[in-house]
């Protein structure tokens, strides 16, 4: 029996320029390369997509860096599977989204936009190799809102080189003034393969990072955002349905370069190298069968990231177990854990990592 997969992720592996901190699977936009990629993606979608998805997420990379024709081709490829969705998100960047692309997204039913802004400080934006100013971002958010997109998420970063608490505070104020209902905010991690990594940049010290996280949580709470996941904040009703599926450890299909899928006990990731993908769409970087202990731990780890916690009944049904009995000692021995409405909840998301250690198989 095949189970229905409800969530689809599509990765667009192109950007107009590469940000100095970024380690995603991507390359600088080249018109002919995008056309080749679209042809291969069409094959992969034809082979792999079988369901009508409840959530669809086109991420990247930068989907909005495609030309209008290429973006329309991509949306058309997905349209047979987007007839019954609850949420359809496309990631955009301020410098490449324009009125024609906004109209196209609307026409194909996209109902949620995620815009990478990262900071409202133009010097910080330059130091990250972002090719837009904060004024550009604000104008594009307004353009989206004027054209009927109200469900907008903004990405921000903290713990950046040169970013003081005051600069971060100003970014939070500026973003809240945009009146967007969802904010994702991640601390900088310096990966070896990035420009920051190669230049030997070091992250800010742990105390400053912790102070910044405290500021983010308290400021956004005051502004009416719920910190529903470690790094995600939303006005009530605007939580990301697609990302909640990941955190609830549901199955999902990912297509294109570098995209991961989890289907039952199998998790696999397509090759991150565009040329290998163009040679053969079946090339994989990882293809694993997870055993029951791995599945259980990952399920707990993902579910505890949100304030909704782990659905104990669903866990019991999936793994034919009695969760409370199996993890009795850990649950009773940790004051940060509580059971509410048959869900296990971590009471302080800032301390989640220490809680998870107890569940390691
Ligand atoms: S952060 Fe976004 S825009 Fe910048 S290089 Fe990475 S994927 Fe591209």
């Amino acid at each position: 029996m095949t189970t229905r997969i409800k969530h689809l992720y599509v990765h667009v592996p192109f950007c107009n320029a590469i940000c100095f901190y970024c380690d995603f699977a991507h390359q600088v936009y080249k018109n002919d390369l995008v056309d080749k990629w679209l042809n291969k993606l069409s094959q992969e979608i034809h082979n792999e997509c079988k369901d009508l998805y409840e959530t669809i997420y086109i991420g990247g990379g930068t989907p909005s860096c495609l030309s209008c024709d290429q973006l329309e081709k991509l949306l058309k490829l997905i349209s047979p599977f987007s007839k019954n969705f609850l949420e359809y998100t496309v990631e955009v960047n301020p410098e490449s989204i324009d009125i024609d692309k906004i109209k196209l997204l609307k026409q194909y039913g996209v109902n949620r936009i995620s815009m990478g802004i990262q900071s409202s400080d133009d010097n910080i934006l330059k130091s990250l190799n972002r090719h837009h100013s904060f004024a550009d971002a604000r104008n594009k958010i307004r353009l989206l809102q004027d054209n009927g997109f109200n469900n907008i998420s903004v990405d921000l970063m903290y713990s950046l080189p040169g970013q003081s608490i005051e600069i971060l505070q100003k970014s939070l104020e500026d973003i809240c003034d945009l009146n967007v209902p969802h904010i994702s905010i991640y601390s900088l991690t310096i990966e070896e393969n990035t420009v920051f990594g190669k230049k030997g940049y070091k992250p800010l010290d742990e105390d400053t990072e912790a102070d910044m996280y405290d500021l983010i949580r308290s400021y956004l709470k005051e502004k009416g955002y719920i910190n529903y996941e470690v790094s995600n904040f939303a006005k009530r009703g605007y939580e990301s349905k697609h990302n909640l599926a990941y955190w609830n450890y549901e199955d999902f299909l990912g297509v294109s370069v570098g995209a991961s899928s989890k289907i039952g006990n199998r998790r696999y990731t397509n090759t991150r190298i565009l040329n290998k993908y163009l040679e053969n769409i079946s090339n994989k970087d990882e293809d694993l069968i997870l055993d029951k202990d791995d599945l259980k731990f990952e399920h707990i780890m993902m579910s505890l990231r949100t304030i909704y916690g782990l659905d104990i009944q669903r866990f019991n049904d999936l793994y034919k177990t009695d969760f409370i009995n199996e993890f009795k000692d850990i649950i009773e021995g940790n004051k940060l854990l509580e059971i509410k409405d048959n869900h296990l909840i971590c009471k302080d998301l800032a301390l989640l990592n220490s809680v998870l250690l107890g569940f390691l198989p």
Side-chain angles (χ1 to χ4, degrees), residues 15 17-19 21-22 24 26 60-62 93 130:
C15 294
I18 305 301
C19 304
Y21 55 86
C22 185
F24 291 142
H26 56 207
T62 314
N93 265 358
R130 303 284 303 180

Side-chain angles (χ1 to χ4, degrees), residues 226-229 234 236-237 239 244 247-248 303-311 340-346 349:
I226 302 162
N227 183 196
Y228 73 103
E229 191 269 348
R236 193 167 298 286
E239 299 87 348
L244 278 171
W247 297 317
N248 288 334
S303 302
L304 290 184
R305 293 184 67 87
T306 74
I307 55 171
Y308 314 111
L310 179 132
D311 179 338
K340 231 192 211 168
D341 300 330
N342 214 23
H343 283 68
L344 179 75
I345 289 162
C346 173
L349 295 180

Side-chain angles (χ1 to χ4, degrees), residues 19 67 111 152 176 184 193 227 229 243 267 287 309 331 338:
C19 304
S67 71
N111 62 6
I152 298 177
C176 287
S184 300
N193 285 330
N227 183 196
E229 191 269 348
N243 287 339
R267 189 180 55 222
D287 198 346
I331 298 167
E338 70 173 340

Side-chain angles (χ1 to χ4, degrees), residues 177-270:
D177 284 348
L178 298 177
N179 200 18
V180 292
H182 191 283
I183 299 170
S184 300
I185 179 156
Y186 292 94
S187 70
L188 174 71
T189 44
I190 296 179
E191 308 288 348
E192 263 177 45
N193 285 330
T194 62
V195 173
F196 276 175
K198 287 178 186 149
K199 283 189 174 169
Y201 276 53
K202 296 276 171 276
L204 298 187
D205 65 88
E206 278 179 19
D207 288 346
T208 310
E209 185 170 330
D211 289 347
M212 286 184 163
Y213 187 56
D214 286 346
L215 168 71
I216 291 161
R217 295 180 86 194
S218 58
Y219 186 84
L220 292 180
K221 186 176 177 192
E222 201 185 293
K223 293 287 173 184
Y225 290 87
I226 302 162
N227 183 196
Y228 73 103
E229 191 269 348
V230 180
S231 308
N232 285 273
F233 300 79
K235 294 279 171 78
R236 193 167 298 286
Y238 286 95
E239 299 87 348
S240 162
K241 293 179 177 60
H242 184 83
N243 287 339
L244 278 171
Y246 295 145
W247 297 317
N248 288 334
Y249 209 49
E250 292 180 38
D251 287 353
F252 58 90
L253 175 69
V255 291
S256 176
V257 182
S260 295
S261 304
K262 187 193 100 59
I263 298 167
N265 63 352
R266 180 177 175 216
R267 189 180 55 222
Y268 59 90
T269 303
N270 286 353

Side-chain angles (χ1 to χ4, degrees), residues 4 34 48 76 123 128 178 251 311 322 332:
R4 183 184 158 214
V34 174
E48 302 298 332
K76 258 193 197 147
N123 288 326
L128 300 174
L178 298 177
D251 287 353
D311 179 338
D322 175 346
E332 287 177 357

